[in-house]
Amino acid sequence: MLGNFIYSNPTKLYFGEDSLDNLKSELANYGTKIQLVYGGGSIKKNGIYDQVVDILNEAGKTVFEDPGVMPNPTVKKLYEGCRIAKENDVDLILAVGGGSTVDYAKAVSVSAYCEEDPWEKYYIRMEDADNKIIPVGCVLTMVGTGSEMNGGAVITNHESKLKIGHVFGDNVFPKFSILNPKFTYTLPKYQMVSGFYDIFNHITEQYFSDTDDNTSDYIMEGLMRSLIYSSRIAITNPENYEARSNIMWTATWALNTLVAKGKTTDWMVHMIGQSVGAYTDAAHGMTLSAVSMAYYRHICPYGLAKFVRFARNVWEIDTTGKSDEQAAAEGLEKMENWMREIGLVMNLTELGVTEDMLEGIAEGSFISEGGYKTLNHKEIIEILRESM
């Protein structure tokens, strides 16, 4: 491994089918006023809402509800959440939902007491949080983003056609996260597999970089193999606890900052995918899957050795007697076949992207320089066209 780094992760995780039992003891560490953040109401249908509210009531908390968090939380919704938090002087923001809900909660936590426009400060100028930060807790109901154990918070601005993620420091990480794999059972298949690919792409964004022998790469190969195996079980039996628990745990470790240590990282698929999301409001994982194959085939010649390793160690391809180019191509073909098998969107047209959007999507794709190839505007347009 190369370079110097510091590793710290302050989030306390409670994992397993009895994990919600720990919420009451965690709530004792905070004041009485709780901002309860959730999405479109699915937690009311599946009973999770009632379980959480009962615990909040038992703990003597006053609840200020903040429902309606959308799959791609908007800056308008962020301002609404800030108003609720500040007007009620809340002591804890409790996010009950998937990654978008947790992202939104973290964005509110740093923005409620921001003395200027948080969009400008945190998402345009990318400044650090230097004001009061409200602590966040999480009860996770959908896996994918890893937001339950990191400082990331992605917000969409429809007016400017931008979807931007800000990765904050340790002080913004959730203080605790409750992960019960059974809470993910009722997700529609489309959302479930979208989350699966978000996990996978988080890993590949960090894997396809650098040329040194790095422990993180070995960890990531294991995570990818576990996800591929468990995803095939989950799509045929969504209530297989072993598969869903392994997927939930893989999602957390894919983006809790561990495997990025000692490496540069790419994130170009995310930059393009997020820009697609700003135009279409499509499910995040599907925006990533739609552009991934064109992107990875484009950069493969620049990181050929790693793509050969990917084919051998992740997809178990026998590379004997094959050229590096043949082996790498076979690995990417196996990846594409798996993506199709689990039901991912493989083109941008299906997400509603039209030719007239491509220039704007390319303009909104921030350039990442950590991977094997730094793209220019023309190359992004080419990748988008190949993904249509």
Side-chain angles (χ1 to χ4, degrees):
M1 294 179 72
L2 303 177
N4 305 292
F5 61 83
I6 297 171
Y7 180 69
S8 171
N9 196 310
T11 302
K12 185 175 185 178
L13 288 181
Y14 297 96
F15 191 97
E17 54 190 306
D18 298 325
S19 54
L20 191 62
D21 294 347
N22 297 284
L23 178 58
K24 188 173 181 179
S25 61
E26 276 293 335
L27 290 171
N29 298 319
Y30 304 94
T32 60
K33 292 175 282 188
I34 310 296
Q35 183 168 343
L36 181 61
V37 171
Y38 56 97
S42 61
I43 63 168
K44 291 188 175 180
K45 296 175 184 176
N46 59 30
I48 296 172
Y49 172 89
D50 288 337
Q51 292 180 61
V52 170
V53 170
D54 284 348
I55 294 169
L56 288 167
N57 289 335
E58 287 172 15
K61 304 300 183 180
T62 301
V63 178
F64 301 94
E65 297 211 3
D66 185 3
V69 180
M70 55 287 293
N72 295 300
T74 65
V75 68
K76 182 179 178 181
K77 178 63 179 170
L78 173 61
Y79 297 151
E80 179 187 332
C82 290
R83 178 186 56 76
I84 294 169
K86 195 170 183 181
E87 284 182 359
N88 297 290
D89 191 24
V90 300
D91 300 301
L92 173 73
I93 302 172
L94 182 62
V96 183
S100 294
T101 301
V102 185
D103 273 23
Y104 166 80
K106 285 182 281 186
V108 172
S109 80
V110 297
S111 301
Y113 292 95
C114 183
E115 294 182 356
E116 53 187 302
D117 182 359
W119 172 257
E120 289 292 329
K121 180 179 177 65
Y122 295 133
Y123 292 93
I124 299 301
R125 302 200 302 271
M126 288 291 174
E127 295 179 6
D128 292 332
D130 55 4
N131 47 258
K132 177 182 175 179
I133 298 170
I134 305 168
V136 170
C138 162
V139 178
L140 197 65
T141 65
M142 176 182 175
V143 300
T145 68
S147 194
E148 65 273 10
M149 203 178 189
N150 66 40
V154 181
I155 295 294
T156 298
N157 189 321
H158 284 143
E159 287 186 10
S160 56
K161 295 289 186 185
L162 291 172
K163 181 179 178 181
I164 302 175
H166 187 138
V167 180
F168 294 94
D170 288 9
N171 53 352
V172 184
F173 282 46
K175 302 304 180 187
F176 65 90
S177 289
I178 292 169
L179 280 61
N180 181 347
K182 289 187 174 181
F183 285 177
T184 68
Y185 284 1
T186 58
L187 276 175
K189 182 181 177 182
Y190 187 89
Q191 288 181 288
M192 179 180 74
V193 299
S194 176
F196 291 174
Y197 191 71
D198 194 16
I199 301 165
F200 193 83
N201 190 240
H202 285 159
I203 303 169
T204 55
E205 296 274 37
Q206 298 166 95
Y207 182 75
F208 288 119
S209 66
D210 292 335
T211 57
D212 64 308
D213 185 45
N214 189 306
T215 298
S216 293
D217 288 336
Y218 294 91
I219 296 171
M220 285 187 276
E221 287 166 356
L223 291 173
M224 285 188 278
R225 288 168 64 93
S226 176
L227 177 64
I228 293 161
Y229 178 80
S230 293
S231 69
R232 286 173 165 151
I233 297 170
I235 59 172
T236 58
N237 183 5
E239 295 190 9
N240 183 296
Y241 183 84
E242 187 172 70
R244 299 305 290 268
S245 63
N246 282 332
I247 292 165
M248 181 174 250
W249 196 227
T250 298
T252 299
W253 285 97
L255 202 62
N256 69 356
T257 75
L258 176 72
V259 296
K261 297 307 177 186
K263 290 180 64 71
T264 61
T265 53
D266 188 347
W267 299 112
M268 202 60 227
V269 170
H270 267 67
M271 297 302 100
I272 299 172
Q274 286 179 178
S275 190
V276 170
Y279 277 77
T280 64
D281 261 341
H284 175 59
M286 297 305 190
T287 67
L288 305 177
S289 64
V291 301
S292 280
M293 294 316 304
Y295 176 74
Y296 286 123
R297 287 182 170 126
H298 185 85
I299 69 163
C300 182
Y302 304 93
L304 188 59
K306 181 60 74 65
F307 280 90
V308 173
R309 176 174 168 169
F310 176 68
R312 185 189 306 115
N313 294 354
V314 176
W315 298 104
E316 298 182 328
I317 289 169
D318 183 358
T319 59
T320 306
K322 297 173 183 173
S323 69
D324 285 351
E325 289 78 7
Q326 288 173 322
E330 194 171 337
L332 288 175
E333 183 180 359
K334 287 274 191 179
M335 175 179 163
E336 183 175 10
N337 290 342
W338 167 71
M339 292 169 70
R340 293 185 185 281
E341 176 188 344
I342 66 172
L344 290 163
V345 171
M346 301 300 293
N347 66 78
L348 290 172
T349 304
E350 191 174 333
L351 299 179
V353 174
T354 54
E355 180 72 24
D356 62 301
M357 295 180 185
L358 299 188
E359 197 66 39
I361 292 170
E363 285 289 342
S365 300
F366 295 88
I367 302 297
S368 173
E369 299 180 351
Y372 290 123
K373 176 74 168 68
T374 301
L375 301 185
N376 57 40
H377 181 83
K378 180 181 177 183
E379 288 174 299
I380 296 174
I381 291 289
E382 289 173 1
I383 289 164
L384 290 169
R385 287 215 167 95
E386 289 171 16
S387 302
M388 290 293 281

